[in-house]
Amino acid sequence: MPAQNEKMKAYWRKNLQTLFILLIVWFIVSFGCGILFVNELNEFRLGGYKLGFWFAQQGSIFAFVILIFVYVVRMNRLDREFDVDEE
């Protein structure tokens, strides 16, 4: 049983590491690109709109959807690695 407990601790550690990395990316995209770096990003245009405006309005949403898919893929891989997958 102690070996199983250590395996679950390692699984949880990697799970938290994944969450932490994705939350950092989420913060950078939403707060950083939409608020902090908006003036620098506004020097570029995407589809006729300033890039800072685009990130604040659309880019963050796209990034969030991509992060969801990255999380699903990463967690499926992690589940298989630690043999806790549903299949």
Side-chain angles (χ1 to χ4, degrees):
M1 195 65 155
Q4 182 70 15
N5 194 13
E6 288 301 316
K7 185 178 174 183
M8 288 297 104
K9 283 183 181 180
Y11 171 79
W12 187 244
R13 193 175 315 110
K14 284 193 174 188
N15 184 0
L16 290 178
Q17 180 183 25
T18 299
L19 284 173
F20 184 69
I21 290 169
L22 293 176
L23 282 173
I24 289 173
V25 171
W26 172 70
F27 176 79
I28 290 170
V29 169
S30 64
F31 192 75
C33 294
I35 298 171
L36 295 178
F37 309 122
V38 72
N39 293 330
E40 291 82 5
L41 291 173
N42 278 340
E43 295 178 13
F44 304 98
R45 292 196 170 269
L46 180 65
Y49 297 100
K50 293 180 179 180
L51 190 59
F53 173 78
W54 186 85
F55 260 106
Q57 300 300 315
Q58 303 295 329
S60 298
I61 295 169
F62 291 139
F64 299 151
V65 172
I66 291 169
L67 285 175
I68 290 169
F69 285 110
V70 168
Y71 179 75
V72 167
V73 168
R74 175 69 180 133
M75 287 309 298
N76 283 337
R77 227 181 266 148
L78 196 61
D79 288 350
R80 283 192 300 275
E81 179 183 336
F82 285 93
D83 198 29
V84 292
D85 55 334
E86 297 173 358
E87 297 162 4

